Amino acid sequence: MNLTYELLRVETDGPVTHLRLNRPAKRNAINNTLVREIQTAFVHLDPATRAVVISGEGEHFCAGLDLSEVTEQSVVEGMHHSRGWHAAFDQVQYGPVPVIAVLHGAVVGGGLELAATAHLRVAEPSTFYGLPEGQRGIFVGGSGSMRIPRLIGVSRMTDMMLTGRVFDAAEGQAAGLSNYLVGEGEGLAKAMALAHKVASNAPLSNYAITQALPRIAEMAPAEGLFVESLMSAIAQGDEAAKQRVRDFLEKRASKVGKGA
Ligand code: 1HE
């Protein structure tokens, strides 16, 4: 399928698809076009894609919701608008492959909601995290209340929303907003390297990690353990798993180590 995008730049590097929010003049603020394009890109990922990297063009990752689109919205339109973001972001989190976000500059409001939807986050020192919804008189609507507390807890998110507290990159790393904190300008290279590493895993393992793990973590323990057994039996039954285990036993695979 030949898809063209107005506000997204899509590039491929072997098994890795790189999606770049491409609206730098508006700090990559997410308007209706961009949210639909994000959804479309994930629905129509090339079947050869094994991992996705998402980044932002310009000085900032993303300034959140395009505020120029909310002023004239009715209550019911607001509800549909929010549900539209949920549909798009669910497609990111529950799409076929792991997603790694590269963060720099502003990661605020809906931009933080998008970042929280990725499976891993790599931040540069310029990154700052904010949830200015409280100050704007609105509330998170792009899944932030569901996803952000799972990264940093309800208490920290409450502080960010009530007081407008902004976390810098180091505070975000300590709080769990980013998985990796790298040097300025090094985020994309790090994310691409991680994506290639992730892409070399057995696809079914990656699928279990991104799809089964977060669901099991939400289940009551007895149900979670049962689903874990199902998932592990399915994964180990796959030929890719059998080959990888044989490779280790026959000394062809790498050992576990810090440099691995
Ligand atoms: C925007 C937006 C936006 C920039 N909607 N137009 N998000 C916010 O409350 C964040 C609002 N933005 C900012 O605080 C700042 O723009 C930044 C810290 C992100 C960047 O500052 P700076 O100095 O680099 O850029 P700027 O000069 O403020 O903005 C450049 C242009 O982008 C300017 O437009 P211009 O036509 O005057 O050039 C800004 O108006 C425009 N712009 N951010 C619309 N967000 C699903 S619910 C999610 C709820 C939320 O996300 S609420 C949080 C919204």
Side-chain angles (χ1 to χ4, degrees), residues 25-27 29 60 63-67 85 106 109-110 113 132-133 136 141-142:
K26 295 289 181 187
R27 307 314 186 241
H60 301 279
L65 170 69
D66 186 327
L67 292 166
W85 278 54
E113 295 181 296
E133 285 85 346
R136 307 275 183 246

Side-chain angles (χ1 to χ4, degrees), residues 164-246:
R165 181 171 180 174
V166 170
F167 284 3
D168 66 20
E171 290 168 328
Q173 173 73 15
L177 283 170
S178 58
N179 301 90
Y180 299 85
L181 182 56
V182 298
E184 205 55 49
E186 295 171 6
L188 183 57
K190 177 70 179 178
M192 290 302 285
L194 289 170
H196 278 281
K197 200 169 186 180
V198 164
S200 71
N201 294 339
L204 188 53
S205 280
N206 280 349
Y207 198 67
I209 294 161
T210 58
Q211 308 301 312
L213 175 60
R215 290 182 165 98
I216 292 170
E218 299 297 331
M219 288 178 187
E223 284 70 31
L225 290 177
F226 186 73
V227 175
E228 179 186 275
S229 295
L230 288 174
M231 194 65 249
S232 79
I234 292 168
Q236 60 111 58
D238 196 51
E239 182 47 34
K242 296 194 183 305
Q243 184 59 49
R244 281 161 190 256
V245 173
R246 272 196 301 271

Side-chain angles (χ1 to χ4, degrees), residues 124-196:
E124 297 186 356
S126 61
T127 307
F128 59 96
Y129 305 92
L131 289 169
E133 285 85 346
Q135 284 66 51
R136 307 275 183 246
I138 54 178
F139 190 63
V140 282
S143 74
S145 60
M146 188 272 287
R147 290 192 169 102
I148 297 169
R150 285 173 167 75
L151 295 178
I152 62 171
V154 171
S155 173
R156 283 196 190 90
M157 182 168 174
T158 303
D159 189 9
M160 293 174 82
M161 292 198 72
L162 278 181
T163 69
R165 181 171 180 174
V166 170
F167 284 3
D168 66 20
E171 290 168 328
Q173 173 73 15
L177 283 170
S178 58
N179 301 90
Y180 299 85
L181 182 56
V182 298
E184 205 55 49
E186 295 171 6
L188 183 57
K190 177 70 179 178
M192 290 302 285
L194 289 170
H196 278 281

Side-chain angles (χ1 to χ4, degrees), residues 4-24:
T4 53
Y5 299 98
E6 191 187 320
L7 301 176
L8 263 188
R9 217 166 88 202
V10 184
E11 286 157 7
T12 54
D13 178 15
V16 179
T17 295
H18 177 197
L19 302 180
R20 201 188 293 255
L21 310 180
N22 193 20
R23 202 187 178 211

